[in-house]
Amino acid sequence: MPRTPGADLPEHPDRLWHNPDPKSSYDAVIVGGGGHGLATAYYLAVNHGMTDIAVLESGWLAGGNMARNTTIIRSNYLWDESAGLYEHALKLWEGLEDELDYPLLFSQRGVLNLAHSLQEVRDSVRRVEANKLNGIDAEWVDPQQVAEICPILNTSPDLRYPVLGATWQPRAGIAKHDHVAWGLARALDRMGVDLVQNCQVTGFERVGDRVVGVRTTRGTIHAGKVALAAAGQTSVLADELGLRLPIQSHPLQALVSELLEPVHPTVVMSNAVHVYVSQAHKGELVLGAGIDSYNSYSRHGAFHTIEREMTAAVELFPMFARAHVLRTWAGTVDVTPDASAIMGLTPFEGLYINCGWGTGGFKATPGVGWCYAHTIAHDEPHPLNAPFSLERFTTGALIDEHGAAGVAH
Amino acid sequence: MLLLPCPWCGPRNETEFHYGGQAHVRYPDDPQAVSDEEWAQFLFFRDNPKGTFAERWSHRMGCRRWFTLHRDTRTHEIRTDDRTSPARTVTR
Amino acid sequence: MSNAFRLARGGRIDRDRPLHFRFDGREYQGYRGDTLASALLANGVHGVTTSIKYGRPRGIMAAGPEEPNALVQVEKPFPEPMLTATTLALRDGMEAAGLPGRGSLATEPDPARYDAMHAHCDVLVVGAGPAGLAAAVTAARSGARVILADADTESGGSLLGTGELLDGAPATVWVQRAVRELAAHPEVRLLERTTVFGHYEDNYAVAVQHRGDDAPSRQRIWRIRAREIVLATGAHERPLVFPGNDRPGTMLAGSARTYLHRYGVLPGSRAVVFTTNDSAYAAAIDLHDAGVDIAAIVDARDVVSTYWASLCVQRGITIRHSATVAGTSGTERVTGAYLANLSHGATHAMNVRRVVRCDLLLVSGGWNPAVQLHGQSGGAVRFDEDTASFLPEPDDRRVRSAGAAAGAFTTAACLRTGADAGAEAARACGFAAEPGTLPDAKHPPVLAGYRGPWFLPSPIDNEGGTQFVDLARDATVADIRRAVGAGMDNVEHVKRYTTIGTAHDQGKTSGTTSTGIIAELLGRDVADIGTTTSRAPYTPVTFAALAGRDRGDLYDPIRVTALHDWHVEHGAPFENVGQWKRPWYYPRRGEDMEAAVLRECRAVRTGVGMQDVSTLGKIDVQGPDAAEFLDLVYTNKMSTLRVGRIRYGVMCTADGMVFDDGTLMRTAEHRYLLTTTSGNAAAVLEWLEDWLQTEWTHLRVHLTSVTEHWATIALAGPHSRDVLARVTDIDVDNDAFGFMDWRDGTVAGRSARVCRISFSGELAFEINIPWWYGREVWEALHDAGKRFGITPYGTETMHVLRAEKGLPIVGQDTDGTVTPYDLGMSWAVSKKKDDFLGKRSFSRVDTARSDRKHLVGLLPRDTGVVVPEGSQLVATTELPAPPVPMLGHVTSSYRSSVLGQGFSLALVKAGRERIGETIYSPVGGRLIPLEVTEPVFYDKEGARRDG
Amino acid sequence: MAELYGESPLTSRTHALDRDSAPQAVRLTEIAFTPQIGLRVDPKSSAAERISTAIGAMLPHQPDSAVHTGDLLVLALGPDEWLLVGREGTAGALQATLTAALGEDHGAVVDVSAQRTIIGVSGPMSRDLLNQGCALDLHPRAFGEGRCAQTLLARTGVVVVCRDAELPSFWLLVRSSFARYTADWLADAATEYRTTVPAAPGAAANDYAVCS
Ligand SMILES: Cc1cc2nc3c(=O)[nH]c(=O)nc-3n(C[C@H](O)[C@H](O)[C@H](O)COP(=O)(O)OP(=O)(O)OC[C@H]3O[C@@H](n4cnc5c(N)ncnc54)[C@H](O)[C@@H]3O)c2cc1C
Ligand SMILES: NC(=O)c1ccc[n+]([C@@H]2O[C@H](COP(=O)([O-])OP(=O)(O)OC[C@H]3O[C@@H](n4cnc5c(N)ncnc54)[C@H](O)[C@@H]3O)[C@@H](O)[C@H]2O)c1
Ligand SMILES: Cc1cc2nc3c(=O)[nH]c(=O)nc-3n(C[C@H](O)[C@H](O)[C@H](O)COP(=O)(O)O)c2cc1C
Ligand SMILES: [Zn+2]
């Protein structure tokens, strides 16, 4: 009966979650019901047997960056530390759909990261070679191969900044963000974890340097462990404890076109001609670019950012000229000085931190959940997230992923 | 597209400016005398308030002067007293 | 059936201008002034496409941008996906087809041009209906600068489609007068066919103007900075939710009225009118008077207006109150409506009482003010029980709503609120403005609308599977029911679960209704549930319009040097370096890149070469504290540099990482000339200004960029002195003009500043002359060098030559994680200075490690090999299972003419300790053995620089 | 002149600029080889006074203002920064005058004559043309004679000077390496005025436009 292929997206289940009132105490509370908070609760329950947990969400579940991201998943980061974490996440993605018994629309359609200058070529080859040695599927492809992978891409040498080649990760792709959140939420709800919405954490209960609970808009909740997973809002929470963090919150915008017949077979990202594009299952083109320059919590970006992004889109994909922008939006992303996340212990006992994923943490969702749950359960970082400590800013052992992350993802 | 009040050139589009993050971050008097922690604070740690933020901008495409603004990071509203009595130079 | 539904007279179409078009492969005719939708209706065509999910036939529902159904794909004149037939102006030769959900993109390039325009005004009025016109006229009379933008092809808004009277004459007469007055004001700009689609901070409004295929630009983006904004965007009529409410022939009552008055089209012959409020009566009366058989008016309310009832009685139109349409019949087009009585309180529908035959089912569920732009501007909305709609909450921002957009649903109120808003806005800009006298608009008494359930009870479909809420997304009451049942109580979740409001129309007709239904299913207040977020664009905008003219060569500025044309004439391919075009190499006939570069390298090492190095950033540094300042920003000590001398210097960011490098010459006691790398010039200047202006405010130093004032030519090679000597008055003898000296003099008759700097290790000079003389001097040097076989060389050769000397390139051999010590440049880091940027960071735990990555040289054991740049390095002869420990990577790699083999620079963990060891690089499935060496490969003693 | 001055950044575009001008609407020309001296000095200092005396006019205090004194155009670019644009052939003399007036005081006099070239834009549609890429309010009330501004035009920085508000006529001072880009951009923007006059409102007969 459906007329349009792909318009018949899988149905969601009839039951996803209940809306419990918060209890007065839990073994652990997770602050923030985005992808990271949900995944962390999930692996706390599944890997560490903890189910007396609440995920506290100030608004609607997964309505933060989880609702706003361009859903690109890949693991082809430069440094060993990142490669380890993102590749772990990617492996988990590969089994998550079955595990959650939810159609996440995880589609491994590959990602091309374009190089437009000789230096970008060097950097790309460097990253590909590092990826290979880290066991990540990665390839350097020349312009002709780029054109074969993505025929609608403009690989003409006449481009102002011609495509000189690309890195190609076949196992990369996209997944449907809401489905991921809801799949995790349903699993948690079934395991008896409380997903508490409209419950904003406003402060912390402390005994000396130990955090023993949170104050919320729905009352005080005691907790053996408190784990922050509040993305762009983390600084606001940390301020309550006088904990300064090396993160800045910026708007990051994205947009979609109307639904189109399938034209775009993969994911394309370009740092120099700045845009990234995929085509979602429903048929809309999903595009993003860089962050807006200034700090903001407004979930509202500037229009010139969109105009520039469209210029890049039409340069790289001339056929997009008469596609239409249907909707633009923004999220609040938490950016660190080295474009890598922060995950680990804090100066406060019983308080754990996961933030700084900035423009690219969706792809890490299950990996974050896995490692962060370990950190919380064992009071010690998992080896994969140990390098992502706060201390690195003091020692200088930064994990500079500006090159691999671009300004976004 | 914010309209930023350059104290010299008047209100101009955001695209003429370069953002410089938090204002009033002081370079230590004697960097060699501070601890690694304090040095890291200077290098990397910045306020990130939800609300009024004292921040630096440089009028890159105009007079090339740096100046300080107080802007609300929720609404992008610029505190109006800054429009009338702008800080001309700042100490980071 | 040509124009069978077109009235003989009336409407605002130009009957002298027939237009031929094809729809779904069939020929039709319409008129200039038609939309595709009105022309189709005139030809009796309601069904436009099928729905996205269930493939149900769908027709034309509305007469404007709120249309959820009538999606078309334009095929000619040029393919464009997903436009609404109701907003598509008809043109001759147009071909279009119904579009069931997904559009397709053209495969050939779009030939059209798109552009943008900045504009400023005191008052921007959005919408040229009665409210907007009144606002604009009022503001304009005060002398304010006004922009009036309307999406439509002509001004008037709803007045074009209601046939109503103002001052006793057709309202369009007043509209024309208002437009004429506005057009005559020098400070007024009228923008027709211009949709304001976004509102951003500080009243920055963005609009798209549809100028037409034959205009100099097809679409234009207006970037409007307004001091005050009046939103007079009108209201969208709400459809009603009942079983089978999606059959073609179902149409908004007000839209049917518009088709009649504006286009002279009867959208059917026999209509059932189903309403919950008074506004549909006017449509029923007008259509009746134009010849449509009104089979019944079905009004869900228990009490109907006596005013409208009497008009209906006069015409013999039956009104059924306390009644509902419980279902429809028909396949491709509605053929009948099932009527049922509503119980008191309208919680239940009785059994179907009657089937009424019809080919048109007009519906009206009330009106939704078009608050989208208000919402985008950060304005709040409040639920108004009386009109069952979300109204803009007035606040003290500089955006105000008027007319139907503010909940004023009579023309008189629209005119008044419009004029008031216009006056207030003008006053806020300092103009003395008064709302003048307004035309007299009669309006009947308005009776309160229906307050029953948001989806009408029906015995036919309990679950709501055929009760469509968002027709564009094929989402029904049943879908909302499931979402709520799944645990969702937030409108944002329901939106995402059902996809309501996510189609091209962004829920203009479905938004409020779906909120109402959620509230009803949860037993909560509508106000509690609220709306989803309004986001730009208000209606879809083409990518190309947003891209504008910054395409092709204008995508990003192409920066060229004074010598650019010479390079072009001599066949050089160019390398993009930042925005600069730099000659890469100069191939001779039959040469590939490698051959050309080897030849150019040989020329410099054995004869003389010349290169355009004008792109280097140049900053004039002046002031009594210049020396102190430079000591702070360079790792080296610069205060000790003597006038007449030059020093190489490194700059670090405060975290100790190399940021830029270049030479510094002292031109006077208090004056220096600083050079930066080509791509980094602007960043360095800004960085220096930052420290000067905000941290070291006590330092008296001025910085001036002089990058383009000078053209700079490098002359390198053992014969460079011979060449220069032929054209200069400067004593170029080694004793008179030593390494790292500079001299003023003339070169080829032009005053020049000549430096003895070498980036190749050979005897070399850099000649600076004002841009204007660049080419002349270059050619003079080229001539003078002929006898020495002077060879122009590009960036690639320069890279090879400097790499042979182990000189790093910032950005290639560094990546923001490299300190001067890592580069082996401790000689460039002063130990004497108390402080400089970066110094403190060198003693951090990680930065002080001895096993950091060092810049070293690598020589392949196999001299035929050039290891690719970017290759990784490992310590073992065989690769273990991943993750494989890595030592570092190759940053630069070339074939060397003087070494007769490939060589590389690399960053290697504890590299300096490994000199002499063999490490390996995996290249194409092989492990290539490489000897770790000092980074300097050629002329280690530096014997060649003096020639 | 070419003999004396070599090649200006837009020499190769002279013909194109002429061709791309739309005589009734906008004219584009290069004004090349003008001496330009950058001046930095504390406006409240006695050095500033001496300089004012030497050039015969007060250094304009208000940034974004431009004053004429004899053959000299003084553009205020910042709180303590001016650009002096002189008559052809006077760069050396001007620089010497300023340097002498500055004396030993802290300040800077830098010859930047070749750093920027000047593109003249004049004719009735000049504002329209510039506003295609310049966000300034060029309305005569907001940006009349005596005004200049450093701002963005399309994707590059320029100094815009209002030479004549009535005609109107503007100067764009643009960095030499960006001059061709700017010229090409202007020529492309002028397409509008070279083709037919834009259709009168509502008069697009043969139109395929979307009305919202
Ligand atoms: C436009 C855009 C595009 C992106 N594209 C990609 C991409 O393609 N690929 C990719 O990998 N990543 C992408 N990202 C980044 C990615 O979305 C984030 O890194 C990731 O979602 C962050 O983790 P999260 O899901 O837990 O965050 P969120 O979903 O933001 O979760 C944080 C939650 O904490 C809640 N919260 C905050 N404060 C409190 C409080 N005080 N009390 C209770 N709850 C609180 C918030 O309401 C929110 O729901 C993108 C981001 C944006 C904005
Ligand atoms: N009978 C009723 O219940 C009822 C209900 C609503 C409206 N009305 C009538 O409708 C009229 C409302 O007058 P009005 O002036 O408020 O609105 P209007 O509908 O007459 O005019 C709105 C105008 O705004 C334009 N517009 C909307 N959004 C735009 C955008 N983003 N950019 C550019 N243009 C945009 C539209 O094209 C339209 O021309 C009155 O005559 C009123 O009586 C009646
Ligand atoms: C991958 C992805 C695809 C989306 N597709 C659509 C779409 O087809 N239509 C639509 O209106 N919005 C779409 N959205 C945007 C949402 O409507 C919404 O704007 C976004 O979740 C941010 O929320 P907000 O705008 O309510 O603040 C999409 C968002 C994402 C992340
Ligand atoms: Zn300024």
Side-chain angles (χ1 to χ4, degrees), chain D residues 35-60:
Chain D
Q36 296 175 32
I37 309 292
L39 170 67
R40 300 289 302 270
V41 66
D42 178 351
K44 293 188 287 288
S45 65
S46 53
E49 268 173 49
R50 290 196 302 274
I51 289 170
S52 295
T53 314
I55 62 172
M58 282 288 288
L59 292 171

Side-chain angles (χ1 to χ4, degrees), chain C residues 197-267:
Chain C
F197 64 83
H199 180 282
Y200 291 84
E201 281 71 22
D202 300 302
N203 267 356
Y204 188 67
V206 285
V208 60
Q209 183 177 29
H210 297 273
R211 305 177 80 202
D213 274 357
D214 308 321
S217 65
R218 178 173 179 257
Q219 297 176 350
R220 167 171 285 181
I221 299 295
W222 285 85
R223 305 167 180 156
I224 304 168
R225 187 72 80 173
R227 295 172 70 189
E228 295 284 325
I229 296 183
V230 175
L231 298 175
T233 47
H236 300 129
E237 197 164 17
R238 264 198 305 264
L240 286 165
V241 181
F242 56 89
N245 61 342
D246 66 327
R247 288 205 208 289
T250 308
M251 184 180 278
L252 294 167
S255 300
R257 199 174 174 212
T258 299
Y259 285 114
L260 168 66
H261 291 291
R262 184 163 174 187
Y263 303 103
V265 169
L266 294 183

Side-chain angles (χ1 to χ4, degrees), chain A residues 386-400:
Chain A
F388 293 86
S389 69
L390 256 179
E391 283 78 59
R392 75 175 187 273
F393 297 98
T394 305
T395 63
L398 303 193
I399 306 165
D400 194 321

Side-chain angles (χ1 to χ4, degrees), chain C residues 65 125-133 149-160 162 164 191 193-198 207 231-236 257 262 277-280 282 366-368 370 372-373 402-406 408-415 417 446 538-539, chain D residues 211-212:
Chain C
V125 179
V126 186
L133 285 170
D150 195 290
D152 215 329
T153 46
E154 54 176 322
S155 299
S158 303
L159 297 178
L160 301 174
T162 58
E164 67 196 279
L191 295 176
R193 304 152 168 260
T194 304
T195 301
V196 177
F197 64 83
L231 298 175
T233 47
H236 300 129
R257 199 174 174 212
R262 184 163 174 187
N277 67 95
D278 281 1
S279 70
W367 295 78
N368 294 332
Q372 287 84 353
L373 289 174
F409 290 154
T410 65
T411 302
C414 287
L415 289 165
T417 54
V446 181
Y538 171 69
T539 48
Chain D
C211 30
S212 50

Side-chain angles (χ1 to χ4, degrees), chain C residues 17 87 89 91 113 118 120 145 151 187 193 210-214 220 549 559 565 708-709 750 772, chain D residues 3-5 7 114-115 131 135 137 139 175 177 180 185 188-189 192 205-212:
Chain C
R17 301 285 289 272
T87 57
R91 78 170 265 171
R113 208 167 166 271
H118 293 270
H120 296 259
R145 290 166 69 191
E187 297 297 352
R193 304 152 168 260
H210 297 273
R211 305 177 80 202
D213 274 357
D214 308 321
R220 167 171 285 181
R549 297 197 295 115
R559 293 181 76 180
D565 293 340
E708 279 107 316
H709 181 70
R750 299 294 186 187
W772 305 332
Chain D
E3 191 37 35
L4 190 55
Y5 285 109
E7 232 175 70
Q115 174 82 350
N131 273 146
D137 185 358
H139 191 281
R175 288 172 67 149
S177 67
R180 290 188 184 182
W185 185 91
D188 184 61
E192 172 98 18
N206 205 14
D207 240 344
Y208 146 54
V210 189
C211 30
S212 50

Side-chain angles (χ1 to χ4, degrees), chain A residues 31-37 56-60 62-73 199-202 229-233 237 252-254 276 299 329-334 357-365 409:
Chain A
V31 184
H36 290 191
L56 308 179
E57 168 53 52
S58 58
W60 44 284
N65 291 338
M66 192 61 176
R68 286 150 214 285
N69 70 82
T70 48
T71 78
I72 299 172
I73 294 170
C199 180
Q200 185 179 357
V201 172
T202 55
Q233 312 287 322
L237 283 160
L252 177 64
Q253 303 188 71
Y276 40 90
R299 280 188 187 168
W329 66 91
T332 305
V333 297
D334 40 340
W357 289 93
T359 60
F362 173 70
K363 62 180 69 69
T365 302
H409 331 298

